[in-house]
Amino acid sequence: MPDPRTDQPATRVPSAGARTVLITGAAGGLGRAFALGFAAQGDRVVVADTNLEGAQQTVALLEAAGGTALALQANVTQLGSVTQLAADASAFASDGKIDVIINNAAIYATITRSPFEEIDVDEWDRVMAVNLKGPWLVTRACSPYLADGAAVINLSSATVLSGSAQWAHYVASKGGVIALTRVLAKELGDRNITVNAIAPGFTLTEASYGLIEGAAEYGVDRGSIKRASEPADIVGAALFLAGPGSRYITGQTLVVDGGRQFL
Ligand SMILES: NC(=O)c1ccc[n+]([C@@H]2O[C@H](COP(=O)([O-])OP(=O)(O)OC[C@H]3O[C@@H](n4cnc5c(N)ncnc54)[C@H](OP(=O)(O)O)[C@@H]3O)[C@@H](O)[C@H]2O)c1
């Protein structure tokens, strides 16, 4: 008879080292960092991006480090594209199952910052399509292949907490990601699938370096921890949310911003 006071929580099946992990937007930046983090645990990684060359470069890095990975070109806004992506990821998995999805692809640094009255309507639609429709479509396409006990991790942003002037489309899209995360958590819970969001603060990636002058110092004084955020800080959160210690955590948003804001 198991002792509920002392037994470890159920591990995910399969556990780290034997999982198939699908990461969107992994041609660089945080997506590439996630890919390296999971590959270092021995997982098979599917690197998806519109930028196939960048995805292939990520795979080359993973393979050079001894990992097993596959680069796929995919556009998260297109149902046909993500349907093919899901089938290819399943075929790459040793058991046909996808164990972890990281919905990371987004339009981010290239967005024009404008007062809300002046935001280009087409740009609003593009941001919503990639940042909010994308995670829904990818999770929907992968649903038939998701392992019992899988983990879905959606990239939101700490800007949702602060608001961020002249960025209404980006902030609204990332707020939508938190809401979507909660709905998917409810709907996938009966398969023991957890769905959580990570809300990073400003983190130094190639994209964000170009966004702000003096990026390395940006907001550091407002944090509890007085240093800039590195991709490794965010990767640790994803490994946790995909790992055995978070089996009973779902529908949540983990803010990873060095204590600049509190939920
Ligand atoms: N870095 C930060 O400070 C920060 C803070 C909070 C949240 N985040 C979030 O973290 C995630 C990664 O950020 P990052 O800094 O690593 O940005 P990034 O380097 O721009 O990564 C986003 C990736 O998504 C790809 N992508 C864009 N549209 C796509 C589509 N339709 N289908 C598939 N892939 C697509 C991009 O390709 P192209 O470059 O070819 O467009 C790019 O490779 C994003 O969700 C972002 O919103 C970042």
Side-chain angles (χ1 to χ4, degrees), residues 161-248:
L161 302 178
S162 59
S164 187
Q166 309 198 337
W167 228 11
H169 36 3
Y170 179 75
V171 177
S173 73
K174 292 298 183 178
V177 166
I178 292 176
L180 176 69
T181 297
R182 294 173 180 176
V183 176
L184 296 181
K186 286 277 185 188
E187 295 196 20
L188 289 169
D190 60 358
R191 294 163 60 189
N192 292 313
I193 295 169
T194 61
V195 186
N196 291 290
I198 298 174
F202 184 76
T203 302
L204 296 173
T205 62
E206 301 94 316
S208 63
Y209 259 112
L211 199 60
I212 295 172
E213 208 173 313
E217 285 78 43
Y218 176 75
V220 166
D221 55 332
R222 283 180 279 125
S224 303
I225 296 171
K226 307 287 183 199
R227 65 168 176 81
S229 169
E230 302 285 346
D233 296 312
I234 316 302
V235 173
L239 295 177
F240 167 66
L241 289 173
S246 59
R247 297 298 302 115
Y248 204 57

Side-chain angles (χ1 to χ4, degrees), residues 5 21 52 62 78 122 148 153 159 180 191 219:
R5 294 165 304 176
V21 181
L52 181 60
L62 301 190
Q78 304 295 322
D122 288 340
D148 182 72
I153 298 167
T159 54
L180 176 69
R191 294 163 60 189

Side-chain angles (χ1 to χ4, degrees), residues 25 29-30 49-50 74-76 104-106 108 156 170 174 200-203 205:
L30 282 178
D49 206 293
T50 42
N75 184 336
V76 299
N104 168 77
Y108 168 54
S156 178
Y170 179 75
K174 292 298 183 178
F202 184 76
T203 302
T205 62

Side-chain angles (χ1 to χ4, degrees), residues 16-263:
R19 299 175 296 199
T20 299
V21 181
L22 167 60
I23 307 172
T24 67
L30 282 178
R32 178 174 285 175
F34 290 131
L36 285 162
F38 280 92
Q41 296 203 333
D43 295 318
R44 299 163 77 82
V45 182
V46 178
V47 175
D49 206 293
T50 42
N51 174 0
L52 181 60
E53 201 184 326
Q56 288 167 335
Q57 287 167 3
T58 299
V59 166
L61 285 172
L62 301 190
E63 288 177 345
T68 305
L70 174 70
L72 293 172
Q73 188 166 37
N75 184 336
V76 299
T77 69
Q78 304 295 322
L79 180 59
S81 181
V82 296
T83 301
Q84 187 63 51
L85 171 66
D88 290 346
S90 160
F92 177 68
S94 41
D95 59 356
K97 295 292 184 189
I98 299 167
D99 302 295
V100 181
I101 303 173
I102 304 197
N103 283 308
N104 168 77
I107 305 182
Y108 168 54
T110 55
I111 296 175
T112 314
R113 296 192 75 135
S114 322
F116 75 92
E117 299 98 329
E118 294 169 22
I119 289 175
D120 181 79
V121 173
D122 288 340
E123 187 176 61
W124 178 283
D125 289 344
R126 278 197 305 279
V127 170
M128 288 296 166
V130 179
N131 297 12
L132 183 53
K133 184 168 109 179
W136 165 59
L137 271 189
V138 170
T139 310
R140 168 188 159 136
C142 291
S143 178
Y145 306 108
L146 283 176
D148 182 72
V152 178
I153 298 167
N154 299 323
L155 268 292
S156 178
S157 169
T159 54
V160 171
L161 302 178
S162 59
S164 187
Q166 309 198 337
W167 228 11
H169 36 3
Y170 179 75
V171 177
S173 73
K174 292 298 183 178
V177 166
I178 292 176
L180 176 69
T181 297
R182 294 173 180 176
V183 176
L184 296 181
K186 286 277 185 188
E187 295 196 20
L188 289 169
D190 60 358
R191 294 163 60 189
N192 292 313
I193 295 169
T194 61
V195 186
N196 291 290
I198 298 174
F202 184 76
T203 302
L204 296 173
T205 62
E206 301 94 316
S208 63
Y209 259 112
L211 199 60
I212 295 172
E213 208 173 313
E217 285 78 43
Y218 176 75
V220 166
D221 55 332
R222 283 180 279 125
S224 303
I225 296 171
K226 307 287 183 199
R227 65 168 176 81
S229 169
E230 302 285 346
D233 296 312
I234 316 302
V235 173
L239 295 177
F240 167 66
L241 289 173
S246 59
R247 297 298 302 115
Y248 204 57
I249 298 174
T250 193
Q252 305 301 316
T253 298
L254 185 52
V255 180
V256 186
D257 72 345
R260 284 182 204 185
Q261 295 158 111
F262 303 109
L263 272 178

